[in-house]
């Protein structure tokens, strides 16, 4: 039987405005995560 993904919380990226889901690596600081990727973080919120 395959593992089913749980319903994960999502946010909208401040740079590209696309939705992205929670990841285990963001477990400790999910409240402060604003960007979906390093590329968007480098680009910044102003885009």
């Amino acid at each position: 039987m395959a593992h089913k993904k749980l319903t994960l919380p999502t946010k909208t990226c401040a740079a590209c405005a696309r939705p992205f889901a929670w990841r285990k690596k963001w477990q400790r600081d999910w409240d402060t995560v604003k960007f979906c990727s390093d590329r968007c973080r480098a680009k910044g919120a102003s885009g």
Side-chain angles (χ1 to χ4, degrees):
M1 186 168 243
H3 174 75
K4 289 189 175 183
K5 282 191 174 183
L6 301 172
T7 304
L8 300 173
T10 60
K11 288 187 178 185
T12 303
C13 179
C16 67
R18 293 182 187 170
F20 64 97
W22 181 91
R23 289 184 177 180
K24 187 163 176 77
K25 71 178 187 177
W26 294 325
Q27 183 171 334
R28 292 187 197 142
D29 54 9
W30 175 245
D31 293 334
T32 60
V33 173
K34 296 179 186 176
F35 305 107
C36 64
S37 64
D38 289 338
R39 184 176 182 178
C40 281
R41 186 165 41 85
K43 189 164 77 167
S46 60

